Amino acid sequence: GEDVEQSPFLSVREGDSSVINCTYTDSSSTYLYWYKQEPGAGLQLLTYIFSNMDMKQDQRLTVLLNKKDKHLSLRIADTQTGDSAIYFCAETMNSGYSTLTFGKGTMLLVSP
Amino acid sequence: GAGVSQSPSNKVTEKGKDVELRCDPISGHTALYWYRQRLGQGLEFLIYFQGNSAPDKSGLPSDRFSAERTGESVSTLTIQRTQQEDSAVYLCASSPKRGGFQFFGPGTRLTVL
């Protein structure tokens, strides 16, 4: 079945770049998403990429998609302490339906 | 309100009791989703409503779980005879159309003692 895998934890220093990685198995996925979850809060959609794109940049965020390897990454430039949160990778199970399949999340800890 | 709201924010109940969780989607959003997030886990899909179509219940873990939605507005998720393994955060999301981006509420944290 479909599966989305993420490393559970990443620690960086303030000002460094963070790279959060994700692998997925469903080759028919159409959109891939990154969500951010801060403590006690719901999920905030950070960015997304369509499956026919290789890269998308949005201010400090860069998403890279390697469709051949089914690998997605989120790079956060100039990471700030306010970026500390859990980041979830998600994909749509199929294009017409849009139910999301989530990874278990990567906890990003940014130290001063 | 501007976003998806859920109530209560926290619910503590005793094993065997029934609970009802409520979701108010963003006005005008036709699609509504319920997910469950167990501690340290990603989100598991539970159920999906799209307009007046029959809901997709394929993610409901047992027949103790049910959900209703009135038109394109409020939804309630009901868990009967709660068990300790039902303890989780229950998240609701809505989107403006089928296939649209999902906007999440803050969740209801359910603790079954």
Side-chain angles (χ1 to χ4, degrees):
Chain A
E2 294 82 10
D3 204 4
V4 179
E5 300 283 342
Q6 298 179 241
S7 297
F9 188 75
L10 176 66
S11 177
V12 301
R13 289 195 173 276
E14 191 173 22
D16 289 349
S17 292
S18 308
V19 180
I20 303 171
N21 294 301
C22 169
T23 57
Y24 60 98
T25 57
D26 185 4
S27 58
S28 68
S29 61
T30 53
Y31 281 101
L32 295 118
Y33 304 84
W34 284 103
Y35 281 86
K36 177 183 180 182
Q37 186 178 39
E38 295 180 273
L43 272 69
Q44 173 195 353
L45 178 63
L46 274 182
T47 187
Y48 65 93
I49 189 167
F50 191 57
S51 59
N52 67 356
M53 297 167 65
D54 297 324
M55 186 183 86
K56 180 178 180 182
Q57 187 150 6
D58 183 3
Q59 299 182 334
R60 292 191 298 123
L61 305 179
T62 303
V63 179
L64 294 177
L65 176 61
N66 181 329
K67 198 170 179 184
K68 174 175 170 288
D69 294 338
K70 299 192 185 72
H71 182 265
L72 182 73
S73 67
L74 174 69
R75 178 177 182 270
I76 306 173
D78 187 25
T79 314
Q80 303 297 307
T81 55
D83 295 324
S84 293
I86 301 175
Y87 290 80
F88 290 94
C89 168
E91 60 166 355
T92 52
M93 289 178 68
N94 62 66
S95 60
Y97 195 85
S98 79
T99 299
L100 293 166
T101 300
F102 285 84
K104 293 183 179 178
T106 298
M107 178 178 288
L108 174 65
L109 179 63
V110 184
S111 54
Chain B
V4 177
S5 61
Q6 292 185 244
S7 61
S9 54
N10 279 286
K11 176 73 177 176
V12 180
T13 191
E14 292 179 349
K15 179 180 171 181
K17 302 278 189 185
D18 298 351
V19 295
E20 266 193 10
L21 312 180
R22 177 186 168 112
C23 172
D24 282 272
I26 294 171
S27 178
H29 281 195
T30 60
L32 186 147
Y33 307 77
W34 283 97
Y35 294 88
R36 176 171 71 176
Q37 184 181 24
R38 290 175 158 150
L39 186 65
Q41 303 293 314
L43 276 71
E44 305 168 67
F45 164 72
L46 296 178
I47 188 169
Y48 160 67
F49 295 90
Q50 173 61 45
N52 294 319
S53 302
D56 178 354
K57 306 178 183 179
S58 62
L60 295 179
S62 78
D63 58 8
R64 295 186 296 105
F65 287 71
S66 63
E68 292 184 350
R69 187 182 186 195
T70 307
E72 295 183 353
S73 62
V74 170
S75 176
T76 55
L77 176 69
T78 301
I79 309 173
Q80 295 178 307
R81 304 182 303 281
T82 52
Q83 304 294 312
Q84 287 182 333
E85 62 261 28
D86 299 334
S87 295
V89 176
Y90 289 83
L91 287 154
C92 174
S94 70
S95 69
K97 60 176 183 176
R98 180 183 175 116
F101 298 128
Q102 296 180 32
F103 296 86
F104 282 80
T108 294
R109 181 175 298 279
L110 174 65
T111 303
V112 182
L113 301 177

